[in-house]
Structures are given as structure tokens and as C-alpha cells.
């Protein structure tokens, strides 16, 4: 009997998440200096975390022999203040990805259905499959989540519905009004997960707290990986009703969020002006990229986030051609084969990307 015969059969079929290529790997592969490679592939903040977040992280390096505060008291206290909610309405995760997994552990059983958009963030589908649940992928309209169609996809077996807004990889968003209407239309046995990974890039993100207060089964997710610039540390959180959070806490491993991450996140929350500055710089960067794409004659989906989904033709070939020039972007699955996702970089990085893309397009010009 070999090991895979002993494995849970679901694991053998489990698709694997393909992350953005690391800088080191591209440098090695193409013989480029590490500091010459620029990564515009994972929607990280190109300006990094605030000074406050960095120095809080550094201080913690003196105490690495100690376990973190498993209840993350200070951080949760601060989050409760910021969101005007109770401390027992928050759960932290090793990235908000872990909170998505916790949702799976707590709520999903084989046979359950998980409703999400066809081009939604792929982790919802992966977690559904891992738990033996069935992902139901709903057609989107113009690469935007179609909430009417999602409502129609709900059955007696639906347990969870995921909505990321702005969505990754499309950069499209849904309005607060339509989200409220959708959530209020959901039957009692359905849990609504609102993924707010890019909320801070919106001038006025939807606020779902009234839905939580009126007893709707809603869980909202936030991350420190995007505008807060702490992707390396893996920290995110969920907020919802006390009942929702205590169930998720039940499935959480002790010390799932490390001490450096907790300290850095607390630091990040202390500097709101850094967040506004990054939001503004991102807006300028998007403007720079869209103008550049316009002049190259490349189509794109208008973005509400810190990346843009462009449609230059053969995404995979262009991804490879750009990589040769030291720029990492993200090609997408077969259904989005014509697209290339580009994260907003610094002004210099955006110029480099546009110049490299022009060159790559001329190489592939004949075949596009
Ligand atoms: C990046 C991202 C996340 C957050 O991931 P972390 O695990 O917190 O790094 C969650 N949802 C979406 C839609 C994302 O793009």
C-alpha cells in the first residue's frame, strides 16, 4: 500500500494555488540581478508598510523566544475601537486566507454548496473543494459579480456565498445598495462572506455593520497584506456577530498569528495618514498605467483596487516575455487567457512595465 492510497481521496484531486512568481526565482532563471527584477504580480503595496509598522516589527525581534499573545488582546482591542464593535466580534488569521479556511472548517460538510463568481478570488473554490463541498461558479457580467444571478444560484444546499469587492483579479466592485439588497434576500441557512481585501483603496467602502447588527449571517474579511504593506507577515482578520466569531475561534489553532505580525499590524493601524497616502499614490499609479495602456492600444477593465486587469491578447506569452525583461506580472487561467493582471507599482516601476510591455507587444505583434 503506498502513501497516496492512505491519503484522503479529496487531497489527490485538490487543485494547487499558483502564487505570483518570487523575485529570486525569476532572477535565478533569467540570470538577472535580484534588485533588477520588479514584481507586479501579487498586489503588494510597492511603498511598503508605514514607519510605525516597521519599527513595531523590529522591536518584537528582541523577544522572539516568547510565544505570541494567543488572544492578540492589544490588536483586537484596537480593531474593536476602529470598527466600533466589541472585541468578541473579531477573529485573526494567518492572512485572511486562514479565516476563509476557518469558515470551511466550521460550516462546510461534503454535499454543501458554495456560491461564488466565475472569476472571483480562487481561494473560495479551493477551500470548498478541500472540505468536500461543491463550488457553484456563477456567471459574471462584464467581469463584475452579478448578484441577481448569484441569488438565483442559491439552493437548499447552499451554505456559503462569497463576494469580494473590489474583486481580485478583475478589480471590479459592487455597490453598497445592491449588496444590502442581496444579503437581505438570502435564506436563513446561507452565510454571506464579504471579502474586503481591497476596501482601503475605495474612497467610501461599503459598510456592512448594519447587516451584522440586524442579525444577518455576515462575516467580513480584511487583510494587512495589501494597503498596509505587510504581506510577508501573514495577518488578516474577520469580523461579524459574536456567535459567528466564537464558532470561528473554536476552529482556530493557538498562536496562529505570530508576534511580529501582531505588533506590525498594531503599528500599521496607528498611522492612518500612511494609508491615505498610499491610496492616493495608488490612484495616481492607476492613472499612469491606464494612460500608458491607452497609448499602447491595450484594453483593460477599469479598476477599483491596486492592480489592473489588462487585455493585451495572449496573456501567457506576454507574461513570459515581460519576465525575460525582469518584470513579473500575472497570467490567468484558461477562461481569462487574453488577460494579464498588473499590480500598480511605484512610478518608476510602472514606466518600466509600460516600456517592457511595448517591447513585448512588438515581439508578439505578429501573433496577437
Ligand atoms: C490578497 C487577497 C486576500 C488576502 O490574503 P491574505 O491571506 O490576507 O494575504 C483575500 N482576498 C482577496 C480577494 C485577495 O486578493
Amino acid at each position: 500500500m503506498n502513501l497516496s492510497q492512505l491519503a484522503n481521496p479529496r487531497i489527490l484531486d485538490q487543485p494547487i494555488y499558483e502564487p505570483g512568481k518570487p523575485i529570486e526565482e525569476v532572477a535565478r532563471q533569467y540570470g538577472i540581478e535580484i534588485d533588477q527584477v520588479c514584481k507586479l504580480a501579487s498586489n503588494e503595496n510597492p511603498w511598503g508598510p508605514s514607519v510605525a509598522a516597521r519599527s513595531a516589527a523590529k522591536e518584537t525581534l528582541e523577544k522572539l523566544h516568547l510565544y505570541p499573545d494567543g488572544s492578540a488582546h492589544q490588536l483586537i482591542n484596537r480593531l474593536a475601537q476602529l470598527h466600533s464593535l466589541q472585541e468578541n466580534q473579531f477573529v485573526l488569521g494567518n492572512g485572511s486566507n486562514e479565516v476563509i479556511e476557518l469558515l470551511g472548517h466550521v460550516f462546510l460538510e461534503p454535499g454543501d454548496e458554495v456560491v461564488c463568481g466565475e472569476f472571483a478570488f480562487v481561494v473560495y473554490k479551493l477551500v470548498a473543494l478541500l472540505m468536500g463541498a461543491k463550488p457553484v461558479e456563477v456567471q459574471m457580467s462584464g467581469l463584475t459579480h452579478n448578484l441577481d444571478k448569484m441569488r438565483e444560484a442559491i439552493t437548499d444546499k447552499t451554505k456559503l456565498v462569497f463576494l469580494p469587492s473590489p474583486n481580485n483579479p478583475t478589480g471590479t466592485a459592487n455597490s453598497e445598495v445592491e449588496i444590502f439588497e442581496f444579503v437581505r434576500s438570502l435564506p436563513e441557512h446561507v452565510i454571506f462572506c464579504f471579502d474586503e481585501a481591497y476596501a482601503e483603496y475605495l474612497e467610501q467602502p461599503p459598510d456592512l455593520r448594519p447587516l451584522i447588527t440586524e442579525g444577518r449571517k455576515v462575516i467580513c474579511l480584511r487583510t494587512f497584506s495589501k494597503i498596509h504593506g505587510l504581506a510577508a507577515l501573514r495577518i488578516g482578520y474577520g469580523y461579524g456577530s459574536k456567535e459567528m466569531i466564537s464558532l470561528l475561534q473554536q476552529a482556530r489553532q493557538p498562536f496562529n498569528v505570530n508576534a511580529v505580525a501582531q505588533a506590525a499590524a498594531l503599528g500599521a493601524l496607528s498611522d492612518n495618514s500612511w494609508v491615505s497616502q498610499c491610496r492616493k499614490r495608488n490612484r495616481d499609479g492607476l492613472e499612469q498605467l491606464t494612460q500608458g495602456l491607452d497609448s499602447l492600444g491595450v484594453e483593460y477593465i477599469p479598476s477599483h483596487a491596486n492592480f489592473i486587469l489588462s487585455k493585451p491578447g495572449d496573456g501567457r506569452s506576454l507574461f513570459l516575455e515581460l519576465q525575460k525583461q525582469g518584470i513579473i506580472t500575472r497570467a490567468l487561467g484558461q477562461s481569462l487567457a487574453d488577460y494579464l493582471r498588473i499590480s500598480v507599482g511605484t512610478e518608476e516601476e510602472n514606466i518600466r512595465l509600460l516600456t517592457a510591455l511595448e517591447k513585448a507587444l512588438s515581439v508578439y505583434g505578429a501573433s496577437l
Side-chain angles (χ1 to χ4, degrees):
M1 194 173 242
N2 64 34
L3 266 182
S4 22
Q5 287 170 306
L6 296 172
N8 170 345
R10 284 206 300 272
I11 278 297
L12 304 176
D13 299 327
Q14 178 69 18
I16 291 172
Y17 178 83
E18 199 184 318
K21 256 189 147 173
I23 289 179
E24 293 73 16
E25 193 178 323
V26 171
R28 228 182 303 127
Q29 199 175 342
Y30 294 91
I32 308 172
E33 293 293 324
I34 282 192
D35 54 10
Q36 294 304 305
V37 179
C38 114
K39 187 175 175 213
L40 301 175
S42 300
N43 307 340
E44 293 131 333
N45 180 342
W47 302 283
S50 68
V51 172
R54 282 175 223 228
S55 54
K58 268 189 211 144
E59 272 175 39
T60 316
L61 297 181
E62 301 302 321
K63 291 178 265 174
L64 292 182
H65 57 297
L66 299 175
Y67 273 102
D69 173 359
S71 67
H73 175 73
Q74 269 194 299
L75 177 57
I76 286 199
N77 178 270
R78 184 82 190 110
L79 287 171
Q81 273 176 17
L82 285 174
H83 288 275
S84 306
L85 294 167
Q86 304 291 312
E87 290 179 14
N88 55 12
Q89 294 188 272
F90 292 85
V91 61
L92 289 175
N94 198 275
S96 56
N97 260 271
E98 191 192 14
V99 186
I100 300 173
E101 191 183 346
L102 292 179
L103 283 165
H105 283 303
V106 170
F107 293 111
L108 296 180
E109 290 183 284
D112 287 344
E113 293 177 355
V114 173
V115 170
C116 49
E118 57 182 331
F119 308 120
F121 185 50
V122 71
V123 171
Y124 317 134
K125 182 177 162 183
L126 297 183
V127 167
L129 290 171
L130 193 61
M131 304 298 159
K134 181 182 161 201
V136 176
E137 296 175 82
V138 180
Q139 207 183 18
M140 289 166 64
S141 304
L143 299 190
T144 304
H145 280 85
N146 181 326
L147 301 187
D148 292 331
K149 287 218 166 81
M150 287 177 78
R151 182 66 188 80
E152 286 162 21
I154 284 165
T155 71
D156 290 346
K157 292 184 181 155
T158 309
K159 188 64 79 62
L160 267 168
V161 181
F162 285 96
L163 180 68
S165 181
N167 177 43
N168 168 18
T170 59
T172 52
N174 295 87
S175 74
E176 183 176 272
V177 173
E178 63 173 330
I179 295 168
F180 268 61
E181 196 182 331
F182 176 73
V183 174
R184 287 182 173 141
S185 81
L186 291 173
E188 266 225 312
H189 63 279
V190 176
I191 294 148
F192 178 72
C193 176
F194 187 52
D195 187 341
E196 305 182 88
Y198 303 97
E200 296 90 348
Y201 289 103
L202 300 172
E203 292 300 331
Q204 234 182 337
D207 176 2
L208 271 55
R209 287 172 301 176
L211 293 171
I212 296 170
T213 310
E214 69 184 52
R216 305 285 164 188
K217 297 184 177 73
V218 170
I219 170 90
C220 299
L221 306 182
R222 295 256 178 146
T223 181
F224 288 93
S225 301
K226 305 289 157 60
I227 209 164
H228 292 295
L230 295 173
L233 294 179
R234 312 302 303 121
I235 178 165
Y237 62 97
Y239 60 95
S241 68
K242 288 173 206 165
E243 296 72 21
M244 172 72 74
I245 295 304
S246 77
L247 286 166
L248 294 170
Q249 292 286 10
Q250 196 96 0
R252 182 179 70 81
Q253 294 298 308
F255 313 118
N256 63 326
V257 175
N258 71 75
V260 184
Q262 289 184 29
L266 199 56
L269 294 175
S270 73
D271 190 352
N272 204 33
S273 71
W274 181 247
V275 174
S276 333
Q277 216 180 110
C278 291
R279 182 187 306 122
K280 183 181 180 309
R281 288 182 187 179
N282 180 69
R283 208 184 314 123
D284 295 344
L286 272 178
E287 180 72 23
Q288 186 191 359
L289 285 176
T290 52
Q291 280 181 8
L293 292 171
D294 281 338
S295 57
L296 293 176
V298 172
E299 285 175 40
Y300 53 83
I301 310 294
S303 171
H304 295 273
N306 65 338
F307 56 86
I308 187 155
L309 189 62
S310 66
K311 194 182 183 188
D314 184 348
R316 189 86 210 159
S317 306
L318 287 165
F319 159 79
L320 289 172
E321 193 55 37
L322 289 171
Q323 212 161 257
K324 281 189 212 159
Q325 301 182 57
I327 297 172
I328 317 174
T329 55
R330 192 71 153 264
L332 298 146
Q334 295 142 352
S335 44
L336 293 173
D338 290 347
Y339 291 84
L340 192 66
R341 197 191 67 194
I342 302 165
S343 304
V344 174
T346 60
E347 194 176 347
E348 276 178 356
E349 288 173 328
N350 298 336
I351 293 172
R352 245 190 94 181
L353 175 275
L354 290 166
T355 312
L357 183 60
E358 182 170 21
K359 189 170 158 199
L361 284 167
S362 70
V363 171
Y364 278 91
S367 59
L368 293 177

